[in-house]
PDB file of all heavy atoms in Angstrom:
ATOM      1  N   MET A  42       6.171   6.737 -22.252  1.00 98.00           N
ATOM      2  CA  MET A  42       6.588   5.877 -23.361  1.00 98.00           C
ATOM      3  C   MET A  42       6.171   6.457 -24.723  1.00 98.00           C
ATOM      4  O   MET A  42       5.044   6.906 -24.895  1.00 98.00           O
ATOM      5  CB  MET A  42       5.939   4.501 -23.165  1.00 98.00           C
ATOM      6  CG  MET A  42       6.356   3.456 -24.139  1.00 98.00           C
ATOM      7  SD  MET A  42       5.597   1.855 -23.716  1.00 98.00           S
ATOM      8  CE  MET A  42       4.158   1.918 -24.768  1.00 98.00           C
ATOM      9  N   LEU A  90      25.946 -12.884 -45.861  1.00 82.00           N
ATOM     10  CA  LEU A  90      27.192 -12.711 -46.604  1.00 82.00           C
ATOM     11  C   LEU A  90      27.635 -11.262 -46.705  1.00 82.00           C
ATOM     12  O   LEU A  90      28.803 -10.970 -46.846  1.00 82.00           O
ATOM     13  CB  LEU A  90      27.029 -13.263 -48.029  1.00 82.00           C
ATOM     14  CG  LEU A  90      26.873 -14.769 -48.162  1.00 82.00           C
ATOM     15  CD1 LEU A  90      26.605 -15.141 -49.607  1.00 82.00           C
ATOM     16  CD2 LEU A  90      28.125 -15.473 -47.651  1.00 82.00           C
ATOM     17  N   ASP A 152      28.577  -8.597 -56.175  1.00 90.00           N
ATOM     18  CA  ASP A 152      29.243  -9.810 -56.649  1.00 90.00           C
ATOM     19  C   ASP A 152      28.293 -10.799 -57.327  1.00 90.00           C
ATOM     20  O   ASP A 152      28.620 -11.962 -57.501  1.00 90.00           O
ATOM     21  CB  ASP A 152      30.015 -10.473 -55.506  1.00 90.00           C
ATOM     22  CG  ASP A 152      29.173 -10.645 -54.255  1.00 90.00           C
ATOM     23  OD1 ASP A 152      28.038 -10.120 -54.235  1.00 90.00           O
ATOM     24  OD2 ASP A 152      29.617 -11.290 -53.302  1.00 90.00           O
ATOM     25  N   PHE A 169      24.670 -44.409 -59.647  1.00 97.00           N
ATOM     26  CA  PHE A 169      23.868 -44.251 -60.879  1.00 97.00           C
ATOM     27  C   PHE A 169      24.182 -45.348 -61.888  1.00 97.00           C
ATOM     28  O   PHE A 169      23.308 -45.827 -62.600  1.00 97.00           O
ATOM     29  CB  PHE A 169      24.075 -42.854 -61.491  1.00 97.00           C
ATOM     30  CG  PHE A 169      23.090 -41.827 -60.972  1.00 97.00           C
ATOM     31  CD1 PHE A 169      23.511 -40.755 -60.197  1.00 97.00           C
ATOM     32  CD2 PHE A 169      21.726 -41.949 -61.248  1.00 97.00           C
ATOM     33  CE1 PHE A 169      22.600 -39.824 -59.708  1.00 97.00           C
ATOM     34  CE2 PHE A 169      20.813 -41.018 -60.762  1.00 97.00           C
ATOM     35  CZ  PHE A 169      21.253 -39.949 -59.981  1.00 97.00           C
ATOM     36  N   VAL A 207      17.843  -1.577 -21.570  1.00 98.00           N
ATOM     37  CA  VAL A 207      16.890  -2.654 -21.277  1.00 98.00           C
ATOM     38  C   VAL A 207      15.949  -2.785 -22.472  1.00 98.00           C
ATOM     39  O   VAL A 207      15.389  -1.784 -22.927  1.00 98.00           O
ATOM     40  CB  VAL A 207      16.073  -2.366 -20.001  1.00 98.00           C
ATOM     41  CG1 VAL A 207      15.166  -3.556 -19.674  1.00 98.00           C
ATOM     42  CG2 VAL A 207      16.983  -2.045 -18.829  1.00 98.00           C
ATOM     43  N   THR A 212      11.365 -12.211 -28.643  1.00 95.00           N
ATOM     44  CA  THR A 212      12.482 -12.958 -29.218  1.00 95.00           C
ATOM     45  C   THR A 212      12.391 -14.422 -28.825  1.00 95.00           C
ATOM     46  O   THR A 212      11.722 -14.770 -27.861  1.00 95.00           O
ATOM     47  CB  THR A 212      13.822 -12.364 -28.728  1.00 95.00           C
ATOM     48  OG1 THR A 212      14.897 -13.114 -29.271  1.00 95.00           O
ATOM     49  CG2 THR A 212      13.911 -12.398 -27.199  1.00 95.00           C
ATOM     50  N   GLN A 213      13.086 -15.263 -29.588  1.00 94.00           N
ATOM     51  CA  GLN A 213      13.183 -16.680 -29.227  1.00 94.00           C
ATOM     52  C   GLN A 213      14.432 -16.931 -28.405  1.00 94.00           C
ATOM     53  O   GLN A 213      14.666 -18.056 -27.977  1.00 94.00           O
ATOM     54  CB  GLN A 213      13.305 -17.524 -30.492  1.00 94.00           C
ATOM     55  CG  GLN A 213      12.097 -17.538 -31.353  1.00 94.00           C
ATOM     56  CD  GLN A 213      12.341 -18.308 -32.635  1.00 94.00           C
ATOM     57  OE1 GLN A 213      12.244 -17.747 -33.696  1.00 94.00           O
ATOM     58  NE2 GLN A 213      12.653 -19.590 -32.549  1.00 94.00           N
ATOM     59  N   GLY A 241       4.421 -15.002 -28.588  1.00 91.00           N
ATOM     60  CA  GLY A 241       3.316 -15.572 -29.354  1.00 91.00           C
ATOM     61  C   GLY A 241       3.770 -16.191 -30.658  1.00 91.00           C
ATOM     62  O   GLY A 241       3.378 -15.758 -31.734  1.00 91.00           O
ATOM     63  N   GLU A 271       6.453  -0.745 -32.902  1.00 95.00           N
ATOM     64  CA  GLU A 271       5.528  -1.796 -33.325  1.00 95.00           C
ATOM     65  C   GLU A 271       5.396  -1.802 -34.842  1.00 95.00           C
ATOM     66  O   GLU A 271       5.460  -0.764 -35.474  1.00 95.00           O
ATOM     67  CB  GLU A 271       4.134  -1.543 -32.743  1.00 95.00           C
ATOM     68  CG  GLU A 271       4.022  -1.720 -31.258  1.00 95.00           C
ATOM     69  CD  GLU A 271       2.656  -1.264 -30.774  1.00 95.00           C
ATOM     70  OE1 GLU A 271       2.274  -0.107 -31.016  1.00 95.00           O
ATOM     71  OE2 GLU A 271       1.974  -2.082 -30.171  1.00 95.00           O
ATOM     72  N   ASP A 277       4.760  -6.592 -40.705  1.00 95.00           N
ATOM     73  CA  ASP A 277       5.266  -7.851 -40.164  1.00 95.00           C
ATOM     74  C   ASP A 277       5.519  -8.857 -41.292  1.00 95.00           C
ATOM     75  O   ASP A 277       6.542  -9.541 -41.309  1.00 95.00           O
ATOM     76  CB  ASP A 277       4.240  -8.396 -39.162  1.00 95.00           C
ATOM     77  CG  ASP A 277       4.735  -9.615 -38.404  1.00 95.00           C
ATOM     78  OD1 ASP A 277       4.616 -10.732 -38.933  1.00 95.00           O
ATOM     79  OD2 ASP A 277       5.234  -9.436 -37.284  1.00 95.00           O
ATOM     80  N   THR A 287      11.517 -22.404 -53.627  1.00 94.00           N
ATOM     81  CA  THR A 287      12.495 -23.268 -54.296  1.00 94.00           C
ATOM     82  C   THR A 287      11.932 -23.874 -55.569  1.00 94.00           C
ATOM     83  O   THR A 287      10.723 -23.960 -55.763  1.00 94.00           O
ATOM     84  CB  THR A 287      12.915 -24.464 -53.402  1.00 94.00           C
ATOM     85  OG1 THR A 287      11.759 -25.252 -53.112  1.00 94.00           O
ATOM     86  CG2 THR A 287      13.556 -24.014 -52.113  1.00 94.00           C
ATOM     87  N   ASN A 288      12.870 -24.261 -56.398  1.00 95.00           N
ATOM     88  CA  ASN A 288      12.580 -24.984 -57.622  1.00 95.00           C
ATOM     89  C   ASN A 288      13.598 -26.112 -57.666  1.00 95.00           C
ATOM     90  O   ASN A 288      14.783 -25.866 -57.809  1.00 95.00           O
ATOM     91  CB  ASN A 288      12.768 -24.010 -58.796  1.00 95.00           C
ATOM     92  CG  ASN A 288      12.323 -24.612 -60.093  1.00 95.00           C
ATOM     93  OD1 ASN A 288      12.318 -25.826 -60.247  1.00 95.00           O
ATOM     94  ND2 ASN A 288      11.968 -23.762 -61.041  1.00 95.00           N
ATOM     95  N   TYR A 346      19.723 -14.164 -55.366  1.00 95.00           N
ATOM     96  CA  TYR A 346      19.171 -12.925 -54.810  1.00 95.00           C
ATOM     97  C   TYR A 346      18.196 -12.280 -55.792  1.00 95.00           C
ATOM     98  O   TYR A 346      18.399 -12.314 -57.008  1.00 95.00           O
ATOM     99  CB  TYR A 346      20.284 -11.919 -54.517  1.00 95.00           C
ATOM    100  CG  TYR A 346      21.100 -12.217 -53.280  1.00 95.00           C
ATOM    101  CD1 TYR A 346      22.416 -12.658 -53.370  1.00 95.00           C
ATOM    102  CD2 TYR A 346      20.559 -12.024 -52.016  1.00 95.00           C
ATOM    103  CE1 TYR A 346      23.177 -12.921 -52.241  1.00 95.00           C
ATOM    104  CE2 TYR A 346      21.304 -12.284 -50.871  1.00 95.00           C
ATOM    105  CZ  TYR A 346      22.617 -12.737 -50.992  1.00 95.00           C
ATOM    106  OH  TYR A 346      23.349 -12.982 -49.868  1.00 95.00           O
ATOM    107  N   VAL A 387       9.480 -48.936 -46.774  1.00 97.00           N
ATOM    108  CA  VAL A 387       9.983 -49.825 -45.721  1.00 97.00           C
ATOM    109  C   VAL A 387      11.078 -50.734 -46.280  1.00 97.00           C
ATOM    110  O   VAL A 387      12.116 -50.936 -45.658  1.00 97.00           O
ATOM    111  CB  VAL A 387       8.825 -50.647 -45.108  1.00 97.00           C
ATOM    112  CG1 VAL A 387       9.365 -51.723 -44.167  1.00 97.00           C
ATOM    113  CG2 VAL A 387       7.859 -49.730 -44.369  1.00 97.00           C
ATOM    114  N   LYS A 398      21.634 -47.841 -38.300  1.00 92.00           N
ATOM    115  CA  LYS A 398      21.841 -48.107 -36.876  1.00 92.00           C
ATOM    116  C   LYS A 398      23.246 -47.702 -36.438  1.00 92.00           C
ATOM    117  O   LYS A 398      23.459 -47.263 -35.315  1.00 92.00           O
ATOM    118  CB  LYS A 398      21.602 -49.593 -36.565  1.00 92.00           C
ATOM    119  CG  LYS A 398      20.144 -49.846 -36.210  1.00 92.00           C
ATOM    120  CD  LYS A 398      19.848 -51.304 -35.966  1.00 92.00           C
ATOM    121  CE  LYS A 398      20.340 -51.786 -34.609  1.00 92.00           C
ATOM    122  NZ  LYS A 398      20.028 -53.212 -34.397  1.00 92.00           N
ATOM    123  N   ARG A 429      -7.970 -42.394 -65.184  1.00 83.00           N
ATOM    124  CA  ARG A 429      -8.613 -41.138 -65.605  1.00 83.00           C
ATOM    125  C   ARG A 429     -10.113 -41.356 -65.855  1.00 83.00           C
ATOM    126  O   ARG A 429     -10.946 -40.540 -65.503  1.00 83.00           O
ATOM    127  CB  ARG A 429      -7.976 -40.545 -66.861  1.00 83.00           C
ATOM    128  CG  ARG A 429      -6.497 -40.359 -66.875  1.00 83.00           C
ATOM    129  CD  ARG A 429      -5.872 -39.638 -65.677  1.00 83.00           C
ATOM    130  NE  ARG A 429      -6.521 -38.436 -65.201  1.00 83.00           N
ATOM    131  CZ  ARG A 429      -6.812 -38.238 -63.928  1.00 83.00           C
ATOM    132  NH1 ARG A 429      -6.584 -39.186 -63.031  1.00 83.00           N
ATOM    133  NH2 ARG A 429      -7.334 -37.117 -63.548  1.00 83.00           N
ATOM    134  N   GLY A 473      17.624 -19.858 -19.141  1.00 95.00           N
ATOM    135  CA  GLY A 473      17.604 -18.721 -20.064  1.00 95.00           C
ATOM    136  C   GLY A 473      16.679 -18.902 -21.246  1.00 95.00           C
ATOM    137  O   GLY A 473      16.958 -18.430 -22.340  1.00 95.00           O
ATOM    138  N   THR A 484       8.115 -28.171 -19.157  1.00 93.00           N
ATOM    139  CA  THR A 484       8.994 -29.319 -19.347  1.00 93.00           C
ATOM    140  C   THR A 484      10.179 -29.269 -18.377  1.00 93.00           C
ATOM    141  O   THR A 484      10.558 -30.277 -17.786  1.00 93.00           O
ATOM    142  CB  THR A 484       9.498 -29.343 -20.806  1.00 93.00           C
ATOM    143  OG1 THR A 484       8.362 -29.308 -21.660  1.00 93.00           O
ATOM    144  CG2 THR A 484      10.300 -30.587 -21.101  1.00 93.00           C
ATOM    145  N   THR A 492      13.485 -35.410 -10.991  1.00 91.00           N
ATOM    146  CA  THR A 492      14.829 -35.691 -10.480  1.00 91.00           C
ATOM    147  C   THR A 492      14.915 -35.453  -8.975  1.00 91.00           C
ATOM    148  O   THR A 492      15.545 -36.201  -8.245  1.00 91.00           O
ATOM    149  CB  THR A 492      15.881 -34.822 -11.220  1.00 91.00           C
ATOM    150  OG1 THR A 492      15.570 -34.818 -12.600  1.00 91.00           O
ATOM    151  CG2 THR A 492      17.284 -35.372 -11.018  1.00 91.00           C
ATOM    152  N   GLY A 515      19.240 -20.283 -27.082  1.00 86.00           N
ATOM    153  CA  GLY A 515      17.987 -19.827 -27.677  1.00 86.00           C
ATOM    154  C   GLY A 515      17.112 -20.965 -28.124  1.00 86.00           C
ATOM    155  O   GLY A 515      17.580 -22.080 -28.382  1.00 86.00           O
ATOM    156  N   GLU A 516      15.826 -20.676 -28.216  1.00 87.00           N
ATOM    157  CA  GLU A 516      14.874 -21.729 -28.580  1.00 87.00           C
ATOM    158  C   GLU A 516      14.704 -21.801 -30.084  1.00 87.00           C
ATOM    159  O   GLU A 516      13.771 -21.243 -30.649  1.00 87.00           O
ATOM    160  CB  GLU A 516      13.537 -21.470 -27.892  1.00 87.00           C
ATOM    161  CG  GLU A 516      13.573 -21.908 -26.443  1.00 87.00           C
ATOM    162  CD  GLU A 516      12.337 -21.509 -25.697  1.00 87.00           C
ATOM    163  OE1 GLU A 516      11.349 -22.254 -25.769  1.00 87.00           O
ATOM    164  OE2 GLU A 516      12.350 -20.434 -25.076  1.00 87.00           O
ATOM    165  N   ALA A 528      20.824 -29.951 -18.668  1.00 95.00           N
ATOM    166  CA  ALA A 528      21.483 -29.154 -17.634  1.00 95.00           C
ATOM    167  C   ALA A 528      20.623 -29.082 -16.366  1.00 95.00           C
ATOM    168  O   ALA A 528      21.148 -29.155 -15.249  1.00 95.00           O
ATOM    169  CB  ALA A 528      21.780 -27.747 -18.159  1.00 95.00           C
ATOM    170  N   VAL A 625       3.486 -31.488 -31.973  1.00 96.00           N
ATOM    171  CA  VAL A 625       3.259 -32.210 -33.234  1.00 96.00           C
ATOM    172  C   VAL A 625       2.004 -31.658 -33.921  1.00 96.00           C
ATOM    173  O   VAL A 625       2.012 -31.369 -35.116  1.00 96.00           O
ATOM    174  CB  VAL A 625       3.118 -33.726 -32.981  1.00 96.00           C
ATOM    175  CG1 VAL A 625       2.743 -34.453 -34.263  1.00 96.00           C
ATOM    176  CG2 VAL A 625       4.418 -34.284 -32.407  1.00 96.00           C
ATOM    177  N   MET A 655      -3.748 -11.065 -43.015  1.00 89.00           N
ATOM    178  CA  MET A 655      -4.326 -12.354 -42.614  1.00 89.00           C
ATOM    179  C   MET A 655      -5.635 -12.656 -43.331  1.00 89.00           C
ATOM    180  O   MET A 655      -6.142 -13.770 -43.242  1.00 89.00           O
ATOM    181  CB  MET A 655      -4.544 -12.372 -41.093  1.00 89.00           C
ATOM    182  CG  MET A 655      -3.254 -12.368 -40.319  1.00 89.00           C
ATOM    183  SD  MET A 655      -2.244 -13.827 -40.679  1.00 89.00           S
ATOM    184  CE  MET A 655      -2.138 -14.543 -39.058  1.00 89.00           C
ATOM    185  N   VAL A 669      -5.749 -34.661 -35.051  1.00 96.00           N
ATOM    186  CA  VAL A 669      -4.459 -35.292 -35.341  1.00 96.00           C
ATOM    187  C   VAL A 669      -4.126 -36.270 -34.219  1.00 96.00           C
ATOM    188  O   VAL A 669      -4.051 -35.889 -33.058  1.00 96.00           O
ATOM    189  CB  VAL A 669      -3.341 -34.234 -35.457  1.00 96.00           C
ATOM    190  CG1 VAL A 669      -1.988 -34.898 -35.672  1.00 96.00           C
ATOM    191  CG2 VAL A 669      -3.649 -33.264 -36.585  1.00 96.00           C
ATOM    192  N   LEU A 694       3.531 -32.198 -45.789  1.00 97.00           N
ATOM    193  CA  LEU A 694       3.274 -31.740 -47.169  1.00 97.00           C
ATOM    194  C   LEU A 694       3.225 -32.915 -48.151  1.00 97.00           C
ATOM    195  O   LEU A 694       2.235 -33.084 -48.868  1.00 97.00           O
ATOM    196  CB  LEU A 694       4.336 -30.740 -47.641  1.00 97.00           C
ATOM    197  CG  LEU A 694       4.686 -29.561 -46.753  1.00 97.00           C
ATOM    198  CD1 LEU A 694       5.726 -28.692 -47.434  1.00 97.00           C
ATOM    199  CD2 LEU A 694       3.451 -28.749 -46.484  1.00 97.00           C
ATOM    200  N   ALA A 696       2.875 -36.069 -47.493  1.00 98.00           N
ATOM    201  CA  ALA A 696       1.837 -37.043 -47.126  1.00 98.00           C
ATOM    202  C   ALA A 696       0.493 -36.599 -47.697  1.00 98.00           C
ATOM    203  O   ALA A 696      -0.264 -37.415 -48.250  1.00 98.00           O
ATOM    204  CB  ALA A 696       1.757 -37.199 -45.609  1.00 98.00           C
TER     205      ALA A 696
END
Side-chain angles (χ1 to χ4, degrees):
Chain A
M42 185 176 95
L90 292 175
D152 50 352
F169 270 114
V207 184
T212 179
Q213 293 176 241
E271 291 172 304
D277 187 276
T287 61
N288 187 335
Y346 284 109
V387 171
K398 270 177 76 180
R429 308 310 315 131
T484 306
T492 317
E516 281 173 85
V625 174
M655 292 299 240
V669 176
L694 310 181

